[in-house]
């Protein structure tokens, strides 16, 4: 009896994780799963307003921006707002020391000044659909996993072929719940997207990596783009004749402001969460993988930061790379702390024993040993995972090594008895293109130091059976990696543009030796080749097996908790999350307020600290209190926190009020809650939103880009 009460209590405690605010939900099911809870929180619209195929719902205004961000359309002329860090690569690529848009910002004061961005596109979802029964047609329970995958692949192909032929759009089929459900997504893709405006980094990246992932926050993290279409308003590649896209729906912007407890909703493309993993996977991530990756990135960042602070050109070259390395590096650290604080492993283990006991007691044999099998799979993966992490995070972080790996095909082609001149020409042309991008943002002293640091790490930590002999040989010959690096970096074609050009511009097959005998090339190829059979293949087999086990475990969790509504893990498909404006308590006795203001910017102001150097013009606006209609109680709101469940990819997502008006742009999460990708905590998990009033204040008062304000639909 006592035992039963205890286990009931634990189940109740466990399902407490999924309190209302947790979840990233497929908008097509909003009516079924979410609307009631949303209305209870104050939402005033219907499910049809959120998602419908009649071209009039909010979804029309939400775009998948570039490769992994979200943006939203905020004018009838196709104006898009997203984060500064989402536009960062593009802003950087238009920047030089003479025209430093990263440093000074960029504003197109007329349409003709808007800058095209080759390679950048946005996608608008046309529709989504549950296609589980079509995808699983012909799949049986007895089927071998390989055959199941083949059937699924073929069925999906058929579905895609049909929709693409019928709509002329691009489509994908995505697995939900590890393949317990399949959804179809149809997109219209726009390839002419131009840069319209970006504040200086001292606003758009204010606080830099010091404040990244933290609250209180004062970053004006936004940039503006515009979608262009052809004369018929259809997607088209870049052309000077294209015209601003006329969307079927754009968002209204609300200046009404927010207060504690107000309903909020985030509509966007969250990238990846793993909420349903067993404890042993959490342990592998947090005790093995992430500590290694964090340490390796600390070394790389130290090297980069030292060089970047010495030289403005290097700072521009490494700005985007550095930010992206630092971003995950800092998140992993917050995630580790959060999981410890949540007692995540113990909680999951407790759940697993409840689950397994239930399966055994109820004759659910397919679920009875699934956790044990997952544990065994993780145990078998541990050493291989370590090896893999050191390949991706150490070896491949040597820039010239990654670059060198691209020359493998050229060497193979050249070694042929009768080299194919056309194929070689195609390959060298391709490599020339890669090289242009590579050398533009390459600084040899950074790479040389990274080479030494990463080889030392690789050598010290990778199990001997996964280490090619060349590493020990070179280390012995040069008495460590420093001397080797000096020699290599003085002349390698992979780190010297002149030598590279000399080779590639007069390339002949017999010169392949210059590549083949280059130590950088030799090291990276030796590791990659050895890894193919000894690491990659067995690891892939284990991952395939794990996927199958997770599918079973997922199904089991759903049967075990029939009363719980599950949301599928994020997988870069369109989702809604909802919650309310609220602060939180990061540590005992400290309560964070939900709103930050321009006062905080001035409190952080320090011309001697790069991340906190407030631009003179902003100081001036602060001094004269020239806030216009964006003033609230004598100040300007900058950012706010709310309890929406978000993750990477939600950057740039619209944050909407109860009426579906835009109140802000999502750009981050609070440090204490970054474990929400693995386990959500309603007390600690908060998303950080740029208050739209600060963005408009910057556009209007700081940049004077009045024409942009005029095209927006602002409600007051
Ligand atoms: N943490 C935010 C996100 O995950 C912002 C990243 C960009 N900013 C930076 N300082 N690195 O994308
Ligand atoms: N900054 C993140 C992004 O680029 C969003 C923050 C998060 O991970 O929640 O998507």
């Amino acid at each position: 009896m006592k035992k039963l009460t205890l286990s009931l209590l634990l189940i109740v405690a466990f399902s407490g994780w999924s309190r209302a605010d947790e979840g990233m939900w497929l908008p097509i099911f909003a009516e079924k799963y979410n609307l009631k809870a949303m209305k209870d929180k104050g939402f005033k619209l219907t499910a049809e307003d959120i998602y419908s195929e009649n071209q009039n719902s909010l979804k029309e205004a939400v775009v998948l921006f570039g490769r992994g961000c979200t943006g939203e359309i905020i004018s009838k002329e196709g104006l898009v707002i997203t984060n500064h860090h989402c536009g960062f690569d593009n802003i950087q690529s238009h920047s030089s020391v003479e025209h430093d848009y990263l440093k000074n910002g960029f504003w197109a004061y007329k349409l003709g000044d808007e800058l095209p961005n080759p390679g950048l596109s946005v996608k608008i979802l046309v529709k989504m659909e549950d296609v589980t029964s079509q995808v699983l047609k012909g799949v049986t329970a007895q089927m071998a996993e390989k055959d199941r995958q083949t059937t699924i692949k073929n069925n999906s192909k058929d579905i895609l072929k049909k929709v693409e032929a019928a709509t002329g759009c691009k489509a994908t089929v995505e697995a939900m719940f590890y393949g317990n459900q399949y959804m179809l997504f149809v997109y219209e893709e726009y390839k002419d997207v131009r840069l319209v405006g970006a504040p200086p980094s001292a606003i758009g990246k204010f606080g830099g990596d010091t404040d990244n992932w933290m609250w209180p926050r004062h970053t004006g993290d936004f940039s503006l783009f515009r979608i262009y279409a052809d004369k018929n308003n259809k997607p088209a590649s870049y052309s000077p004749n294209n015209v601003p896209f006329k969307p079927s729906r754009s968002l209204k912007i609300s200046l009404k402001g927010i207060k504690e407890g107000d309903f909020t909703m985030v509509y966007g493309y969250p990238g990846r969460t793993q909420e349903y993993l067993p404890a042993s996977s959490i342990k592998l991530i947090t005790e093995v993988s992430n500590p290694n990756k964090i340490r390796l990135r600390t070394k790389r960042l130290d090297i980069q930061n030292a060089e970047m602070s010495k030289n403005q050109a290097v700072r521009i070259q490494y700005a985007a790379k550095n930010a992206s390395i630092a971003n995950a590096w800092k998140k992993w650290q917050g995630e580790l702390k959060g999981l410890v604080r949540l007692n995540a492993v113990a909680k999951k283990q407790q759940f697993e024993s409840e689950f397994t006991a239930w399966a055994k007691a109820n004759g659910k044999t397919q679920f009875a040993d699934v956790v044990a099998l997952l544990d065994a799979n993780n145990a078998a993966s541990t050493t291989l995972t370590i090896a893999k992490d050191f390949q991706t995070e150490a070896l491949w972080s040597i820039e010239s090594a990654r670059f060198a790996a691209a020359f493998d095909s050229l060497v193979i082609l050249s070694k042929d008895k009768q080299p194919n001149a056309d194929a070689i020409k195609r390959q060298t042309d391709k490599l020339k293109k890669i090289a242009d991008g590579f050398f533009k943002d390459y600084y040899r002293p950074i790479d040389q130091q990274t080479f030494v640091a990463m080889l030392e790490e690789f050598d010290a930590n990778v199990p001997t059976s996964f280490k090619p002999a060349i590493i020990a040989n070179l280390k012995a010959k040069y008495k460590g990696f420093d001397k080797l690096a000096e020699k290599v970096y003085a002349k390698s074609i992979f780190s010297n543009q002149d030598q590279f050009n000399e080779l590639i511009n007069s390339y002949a097959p017999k010169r392949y030796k210059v590549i083949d005998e280059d130590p950088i090339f030799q090291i990276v190829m030796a590791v990659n080749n050895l890894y193919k059979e000894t690491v990659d293949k067995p690891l892939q087999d284990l991952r395939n097996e794990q996927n199958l086990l997770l599918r079973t475990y997922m199904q089991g969790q759903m049967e075990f908790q029939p009363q719980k509504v599950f949301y599928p893990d994020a997988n870069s498909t369109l989702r809604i999350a909802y919650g309310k404006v609220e602060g939180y308590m990061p540590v005992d006795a400290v309560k964070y307020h939900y709103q930050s203001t321009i006062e905080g910017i001035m409190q952080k102001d320090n011309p001697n600290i790069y991340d906190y150097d407030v631009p003179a013009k902003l100081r001036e606006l602060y001094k004269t209190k020239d806030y216009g209609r964006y003033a609230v109680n004598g100040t300007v709101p900058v950012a706010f926190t709310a309890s929406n469940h978000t993750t990477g990819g939600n950057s740039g997502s619209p944050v909407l009020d109860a009426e579906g008006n835009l109140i802000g742009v999502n750009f981050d999460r609070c440090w204490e809650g970054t474990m929400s990708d693995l386990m959500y905590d309603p007390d600690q998990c908060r998303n950080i939103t740029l208050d739209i009033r600060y963005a408009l204040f910057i556009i209007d008062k700081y940049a004077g880009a009045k024409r942009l304000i005029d095209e927006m639909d602002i409600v007051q």
Side-chain angles (χ1 to χ4, degrees), residues 85 205 208-209 212-213 221 323 327 651 667-668:
H85 76 261
K205 205 181 173 224
D209 286 301
N212 192 19
W213 298 111
D221 197 345
N327 194 42
S651 274
F667 72 98
D668 214 355

Side-chain angles (χ1 to χ4, degrees), residues 609-678:
I609 301 177
Y610 183 83
D611 286 341
Y612 295 128
D613 188 6
V614 175
K617 174 94 187 267
L618 190 57
R619 275 193 207 118
E620 190 55 33
L621 288 167
Y622 176 77
K623 214 155 92 198
T624 56
K625 302 281 175 271
D626 183 7
Y627 300 153
R629 59 174 160 165
Y630 314 107
V632 182
N633 302 327
T635 186
V636 181
V638 172
F640 62 88
T641 60
S643 47
N644 303 280
H645 189 183
T646 54
T647 188
N650 270 126
S651 274
S653 297
V655 181
L656 305 168
D657 66 9
E659 272 126 36
N661 295 328
L662 187 70
I663 48 175
V665 182
N666 186 71
F667 72 98
D668 214 355
R669 261 177 299 164
C670 296
W671 170 256
E672 295 79 7
T674 43
M675 70 295 188
S676 63
D677 293 349
L678 298 169

Side-chain angles (χ1 to χ4, degrees), residues 154-268:
N154 291 337
N155 288 344
S156 304
K157 255 194 217 147
D158 289 346
I159 298 171
L160 294 179
K161 225 196 273 159
K162 263 192 223 134
V163 226
E164 294 185 348
T167 60
C169 293
K170 277 244 159 13
T172 63
V173 169
E174 305 291 344
M176 306 283 155
F177 301 116
Y178 297 100
N180 283 292
Q181 183 186 37
Y182 286 88
M183 298 288 301
L184 168 72
F185 297 88
V186 182
Y187 301 95
E188 195 85 82
E189 180 173 15
Y190 295 83
K191 292 188 172 164
D192 187 351
V193 182
R194 303 191 197 167
L195 177 62
V196 173
S201 292
I203 290 173
K205 205 181 173 224
F206 182 75
D209 286 301
T210 317
D211 283 10
N212 192 19
W213 298 111
M214 308 272 237
W215 186 256
R217 189 66 158 278
H218 301 89
T219 315
D221 197 345
F222 77 95
S223 57
L224 296 165
F225 287 79
R226 190 186 305 281
I227 307 173
Y228 282 70
D230 70 12
K231 294 215 164 68
N232 303 316
N233 206 35
K234 290 277 171 247
S237 301
Y238 170 78
S239 155
N241 301 325
N242 286 346
V243 292
F245 169 62
K246 303 265 187 285
S248 48
R249 176 86 190 244
S250 60
L251 296 179
K252 287 188 184 149
I253 295 174
S254 169
L255 293 187
K256 287 183 199 152
I258 44 143
K259 55 180 191 328
E260 186 148 28
D262 278 357
F263 173 88
T264 58
M265 165 173 143
V266 178
Y267 207 159

Side-chain angles (χ1 to χ4, degrees), residues 278-493:
S280 56
S281 298
I282 305 288
K283 278 172 76 100
L284 184 60
I285 295 170
T286 57
E287 290 173 15
V288 180
S289 237
N290 286 359
N292 278 335
K293 296 203 272 192
I294 291 166
R295 193 184 65 255
L296 290 168
R297 286 192 179 207
T298 304
K299 296 205 163 158
R300 288 161 73 190
L301 288 167
D302 287 348
I303 293 168
Q304 291 184 0
N305 293 340
E307 296 295 336
M308 287 167 79
S309 66
K310 284 191 244 169
N311 182 330
Q312 182 60 16
V314 177
R315 190 187 279 286
I316 296 173
Q317 283 184 312
Y318 278 73
K321 294 186 220 181
N322 185 270
S324 104
I325 300 165
N327 194 42
W329 166 80
K330 193 163 179 186
K331 190 211 133 180
W332 291 329
Q333 297 175 59
E335 188 176 78
L336 279 181
K337 281 182 92 157
L339 290 168
V340 169
R341 177 169 170 172
L342 258 188
N343 232 336
V345 168
K347 272 196 186 126
K348 291 230 174 205
Q349 281 168 339
Q350 186 58 49
F351 173 77
E352 286 158 18
S353 52
E354 301 284 328
F355 170 83
T356 303
W358 161 83
K360 285 185 177 151
N362 292 281
K364 307 262 179 195
T365 44
Q366 75 274 37
F367 303 137
D369 58 356
V370 69
V371 172
L373 290 170
L374 279 163
D375 294 350
N377 178 286
N378 280 320
S381 306
T382 304
T383 312
L384 293 168
T385 302
I386 295 172
K388 192 70 196 167
D389 288 341
F390 276 89
Q391 183 190 36
T392 53
E393 286 285 329
L395 190 73
W396 290 352
S397 72
I398 304 166
E399 295 175 72
S400 53
R402 281 222 81 159
F403 179 50
F407 288 72
D408 190 27
S409 326
L410 182 61
V411 172
I412 294 172
L413 287 171
S414 306
K415 279 182 178 169
D416 212 284
K417 282 216 179 65
Q418 281 165 320
N420 176 337
D422 286 345
I424 288 184
K425 165 93 172 59
R426 253 178 281 130
Q427 196 60 28
T428 48
D429 285 349
K430 196 173 121 195
L431 289 168
K432 272 187 213 168
K433 269 221 190 93
I434 298 178
D436 285 344
F438 173 77
F439 283 116
K440 177 174 180 282
D441 292 331
Y442 181 72
Y443 185 58
R444 200 186 318 137
I446 288 182
D447 198 39
Q448 182 170 337
Q449 294 168 61
T450 307
F451 175 90
V452 175
M454 294 297 108
L455 278 187
E456 280 169 355
E457 279 281 351
F458 189 94
D459 186 46
N461 294 291
V462 172
T464 317
S465 54
F466 305 134
K467 244 183 329 197
I470 184 174
I471 294 189
N473 295 344
L474 286 170
K475 187 181 168 194
K477 181 165 168 199
Y478 291 94
K479 305 200 170 38
F481 298 113
D482 284 303
K483 285 263 144 43
L484 170 68
E486 276 168 33
K487 183 170 167 235
V488 167
Y489 279 80
K491 65 173 215 281
S492 168
I493 59 157

Side-chain angles (χ1 to χ4, degrees), residues 2-205:
K2 211 169 153 207
K3 218 169 160 192
L4 184 75
T5 327
L6 182 67
S7 68
L8 270 179
L9 271 177
L10 283 165
I11 293 176
V12 172
F14 177 78
S15 44
W17 300 357
S18 54
R19 232 170 60 179
D21 294 342
E22 177 176 357
M24 305 168 176
W25 304 88
L26 287 163
I28 195 171
F29 300 129
E31 175 87 50
K32 196 163 152 196
Y33 296 135
N34 313 116
L35 203 67
K36 184 171 178 313
M38 292 171 78
K39 293 234 168 206
D40 287 348
K41 286 188 185 298
F43 185 57
K44 299 217 172 72
L45 304 179
T46 65
E48 280 270 296
D49 293 323
I50 299 173
Y51 175 93
S52 90
E53 285 170 32
N54 70 10
Q55 297 221 316
N56 198 23
S57 68
L58 290 167
K59 94 164 190 335
E60 305 297 321
V62 183
V63 308
L64 176 57
F65 185 91
R67 275 187 300 264
C69 276
T70 307
E72 55 273 17
I73 303 175
I74 51 168
S75 88
K76 298 191 169 61
E77 299 290 312
L79 188 65
V80 168
I81 189 165
T82 184
N83 290 145
H84 185 261
H85 76 261
C86 294
F88 203 75
D89 281 337
N90 296 296
I91 304 165
Q92 180 191 342
S93 67
H94 292 295
S95 296
S96 59
V97 174
E98 298 76 47
H99 294 281
D100 192 344
Y101 301 140
L102 281 182
K103 183 159 185 284
N104 305 316
F106 169 81
W107 304 99
Y109 288 100
K110 52 185 198 302
L111 206 59
D113 295 343
E114 299 179 358
L115 299 173
N117 300 284
L120 175 65
S121 77
V122 304
K123 290 186 187 146
I124 301 177
L125 186 81
V126 178
K127 65 165 190 168
M128 60 174 74
E129 190 184 325
D130 188 336
V131 289
T132 312
S133 58
Q134 288 137 273
V135 172
L136 295 182
K137 205 168 93 199
V139 168
T140 64
Q142 293 75 29
M143 218 170 200
E145 181 63 12
K146 238 180 82 204
D147 299 331
R148 179 191 156 105
Q149 292 309 337
T150 314
T151 310
I152 289 174
K153 215 177 177 180
N154 291 337
N155 288 344
S156 304
K157 255 194 217 147
D158 289 346
I159 298 171
L160 294 179
K161 225 196 273 159
K162 263 192 223 134
V163 226
E164 294 185 348
T167 60
C169 293
K170 277 244 159 13
T172 63
V173 169
E174 305 291 344
M176 306 283 155
F177 301 116
Y178 297 100
N180 283 292
Q181 183 186 37
Y182 286 88
M183 298 288 301
L184 168 72
F185 297 88
V186 182
Y187 301 95
E188 195 85 82
E189 180 173 15
Y190 295 83
K191 292 188 172 164
D192 187 351
V193 182
R194 303 191 197 167
L195 177 62
V196 173
S201 292
I203 290 173
K205 205 181 173 224

